[in-house]
Amino acid sequence: MYGLVDCNNFYVSCERVFNPSLRNKPVVVLSNNDGCIIARSNEAKTLGIPMGAPLHLYKTLIKQNKILVYSSNYTLYGDMSSRVMNSLNYFVPDMEIYSIDEAFLSLKKFNNKTLLDEMFTIRQSIYQWTGIPVSIGVGPTKTLAKLANKMAKKHSSNGIYILTISNQLTNILNDLQLEDIWGISKGWANRLKSIGINNPLQLQQSDPCKVRKLISVVGERIVYELRGNSCLALEEVVNKKSITVSRSFGKMINDKYNLKEALANHVARAAEKLRHQDSLCGEICVFINTNRFRKKDLQYNNSATLTFSDLTDNTTVMIQQAFKLLEGLYRPNYNYKKIGVILLDLKQREKDFINKHYIIQGNLFTYNKNEKINANQSDIDIKILDSINAKMGKMSIFYGSQGITKQRRREKVEEDKWRMRSGYKSPLYTTNWNDILKVS
DNA sequence: TCTGGGGTCCTAGGACCC
DNA sequence: TCTGGGGTCCTAGGACCC
């Protein structure tokens, strides 16, 4: 069984920990620049404030109902999140932190008979230790645990809901909307409806291959997950694969000087994040946007990407390159609302040495990303290369991130082979049947 | 007047390789 | 091992999540 622990109205709950007078009152927390409402207490939800609502559209409602409004404090929320996760980890070491306020638990080692009591203990303890109320959903797959969590929030008095494959599940699926299922949003729901799948129960009972044709293998996995066949494993916490820092401007900005100032700040922050996870980056992307909500204004959205000749975590280098990219992007005749930077092609520092160097006949050379090394080149010491390749999981030295792709593909093919042997009709990961046949 | 920020995965199709 | 059709790499774009 899997568990999903979700902090209730997380940002609001964090504010309440340090300001108990906010309890039982309608409270909302705002995004950067105080533009949107991104967290609501139950009381605020009852008053009809939707998620992501623009603040200026709800000023009257807020005033009338004396809703308390707070700017966001991400440092506080990050810290509270760590406390919650650490507390959870005390009870369940085998867990996946899914977002700032959610974690999946592996409950394999728990006794099903005492599960409810155990979950109750966890919930109580977290509240006692951190002041944050949580809901816990339990189910045979991650998707069903997600669903159970939704039920816990809606229909459970103690904040816990355990879902098993039963008539109860059938009834629940029949009563819900497709969009209530984790992984299905409006676009896919509409496509599913177009072939006569109108609710989660029909989805659960539909032909997985048909669903796959319509909304890709992701949809097919959902079908199996709804049936209680687990396709999504607990994922170990790994470093980010890309790092973005971007902000909207309070006022629109036209001049390059201000854009550069903002960009430099964003890049510096991104570089900090990069070093914090002990990575180096190979690519940098800068993007700028005009205000998409001002339909009358001329719109301009663009981005530019640059590959570093060497992997780097150097702030100065990154800012220099980001400025170069901005020079190419900037058009003087627009008003800009947002600028941001994305660091891509991230690599672990430990592997950096191997990624940046190669050996020819005992001599060490620096590997240049733009220069492709051919393994057949007679002057490369194949034996040494082989040993490095083996250490890296093959190929990474030549193809950077593609090496990881290859590795992953191999893993997926293995899983699919197992799947086909076990009598499933279609593979879950591989697009190409030849992959399966070939390795089989 | 005023509309967030940060992620991941999957697929199709073209270029290129041998 | 293999010489023409199949495999691999790469990118853009589109979904989804919180």
Side-chain angles (χ1 to χ4, degrees), chain A residues 18 24 36 39 56 92 95 97 129 167 170 173 189 197 224 246 273 276 293 320 327 340 345 358 420 433:
Chain A
F18 295 93
N24 303 315
C36 287
H56 66 95
V92 191
M95 60 181 271
I97 298 174
W129 297 346
N167 290 336
T170 308
L173 292 178
I197 298 171
Y224 285 116
S246 70
K273 287 188 185 182
H276 188 251
F293 294 102
Q320 279 168 357
E327 288 294 332
D345 193 18
Y358 60 97
M420 303 308 284
W433 280 83

Side-chain angles (χ1 to χ4, degrees), chain A residues 139-402:
Chain A
T141 64
K142 281 170 106 176
T143 306
L144 290 174
K146 263 284 204 188
L147 196 58
N149 190 278
K150 199 164 257 197
M151 303 305 290
K153 285 219 165 77
K154 267 191 194 167
H155 302 298
S156 157
S157 53
N158 59 7
I160 295 161
Y161 198 97
I162 296 179
L163 198 52
T164 51
I165 302 295
S166 58
N167 290 336
Q168 160 214 22
L169 173 64
T170 308
N171 291 334
I172 290 172
L173 292 178
N174 200 29
D175 290 341
L176 289 173
Q177 301 294 313
L178 284 169
E179 290 92 330
D180 289 322
I181 304 299
W182 183 44
I184 296 186
S185 191
K186 224 174 186 177
W188 282 3
N190 286 340
R191 275 201 230 176
L192 288 168
K193 284 172 192 164
S194 77
I195 62 163
I197 298 171
N198 293 302
N199 69 27
L201 182 63
Q202 290 175 352
L203 180 63
Q204 185 209 36
Q205 294 169 351
S206 60
D207 176 3
C209 292
K210 266 190 192 168
V211 174
R212 182 197 195 121
K213 271 180 195 148
L214 203 67
I215 57 171
S216 90
V217 68
V218 180
E220 188 184 14
R221 276 182 219 140
I222 293 173
V223 175
Y224 285 116
E225 285 257 318
L226 288 177
R227 295 176 182 181
N229 298 334
S230 181
C231 302
L232 304 168
L234 225 55
E235 281 171 38
E236 57 173 317
V237 181
V238 287
N239 284 338
K240 297 274 185 287
K241 293 167 182 170
S242 68
I243 291 173
T244 307
V245 176
S246 70
R247 290 286 177 279
S248 295
F249 300 117
K251 280 182 196 168
M252 299 231 268
I253 280 183
N254 173 260
D255 68 296
K256 210 194 293 179
Y257 178 82
N258 282 320
L259 287 173
K260 274 178 133 173
E261 187 185 3
L263 182 58
N265 276 315
H266 298 347
V267 174
R269 177 78 193 102
E272 261 176 42
K273 287 188 185 182
L274 182 74
R275 290 190 293 268
H276 188 251
Q277 68 165 42
D278 215 12
S279 294
L280 295 147
C281 87
E283 279 179 22
I284 184 168
C285 170
V286 172
F287 62 90
I288 49 176
N289 305 116
T290 48
N291 190 340
R292 66 196 163 104
F293 294 102
R294 293 182 67 126
K295 304 276 186 225
K296 285 179 190 166
D297 287 8
L298 280 178
Q299 296 291 315
Y300 176 65
N301 302 302
N302 207 349
S303 69
T305 306
L306 180 145
T307 304
F308 294 115
S309 54
D310 275 320
L311 295 168
T312 184
D313 65 353
N314 184 306
T315 308
T316 313
V317 170
M318 287 192 226
I319 290 178
Q320 279 168 357
Q321 299 304 327
F323 279 0
K324 261 190 209 170
L325 291 173
L326 180 60
E327 288 294 332
L329 287 172
Y330 179 74
R331 305 282 180 277
N333 46 330
Y334 295 102
N335 291 316
Y336 295 101
K337 181 65 181 168
K338 186 174 178 180
I339 190 163
V341 63
I342 310 174
L343 305 182
L344 297 153
D345 193 18
L346 309 190
K347 297 215 174 34
Q348 275 295 91
R349 181 186 290 278
E350 297 85 69
K351 292 181 180 173
D352 168 41
F353 179 82
I354 300 172
N355 262 335
K356 274 174 80 174
H357 301 85
Y358 60 97
I359 297 161
I360 297 177
Q361 295 182 345
N363 297 315
L364 192 66
F365 291 86
T366 303
Y367 168 52
N368 181 341
K369 219 170 156 304
N370 297 322
E371 165 199 349
K372 196 164 182 178
I373 305 164
N374 191 334
N376 295 328
Q377 245 172 263
S378 57
D379 56 355
I380 294 185
D381 190 327
I382 300 293
K383 268 192 184 172
I384 295 175
L385 276 176
D386 278 351
S387 70
I388 294 174
N389 279 348
K391 213 169 162 186
M392 290 289 296
K394 285 189 180 175
M395 299 309 290
S396 302
I397 189 170
F398 298 117
Y399 296 108
S401 63
Q402 284 306 311

Side-chain angles (χ1 to χ4, degrees), chain A residues 16-137:
Chain A
R16 280 177 170 168
V17 170
F18 295 93
N19 187 352
S21 72
L22 302 181
R23 286 181 196 162
N24 303 315
K25 289 179 188 161
V27 183
V28 296
V29 175
L30 305 177
S31 63
N32 273 319
N33 287 326
D34 295 345
C36 287
I37 293 163
I38 54 167
R40 308 152 294 154
S41 69
N42 285 345
E43 297 80 6
K45 286 178 188 172
T46 312
L47 288 168
I49 295 186
M51 179 62 179
L55 179 64
H56 66 95
L57 294 182
Y58 289 85
K59 280 260 158 89
T60 324
L61 189 70
I62 287 170
K63 222 175 186 181
Q64 279 170 354
N65 295 284
K66 294 182 181 162
I67 299 176
L68 299 158
V69 180
Y70 281 79
S71 293
S72 45
N73 179 350
Y74 290 105
T75 316
L76 170 67
Y77 309 149
D79 183 66
M80 290 304 289
S81 174
S82 310
R83 294 191 205 187
V84 171
M85 298 305 170
N86 288 338
S87 310
L88 264 180
N89 201 247
Y90 173 81
F91 293 100
V92 191
D94 200 3
M95 60 181 271
E96 169 192 342
I97 298 174
Y98 178 66
S99 74
I100 193 163
D101 70 335
E102 275 176 79
F104 284 103
L105 312 176
S106 170
L107 303 177
K108 273 177 204 158
K109 290 176 187 161
F110 286 68
N111 183 342
N112 279 352
K113 283 179 189 164
T114 57
L115 210 48
L116 189 63
D117 288 340
E118 308 242 27
M119 294 302 115
F120 192 71
T121 307
I122 292 178
R123 185 170 181 272
Q124 289 293 96
S125 307
I126 289 184
Y127 186 70
Q128 198 182 334
W129 297 346
T130 68
I132 301 287
V134 301
S135 304
I136 306 181

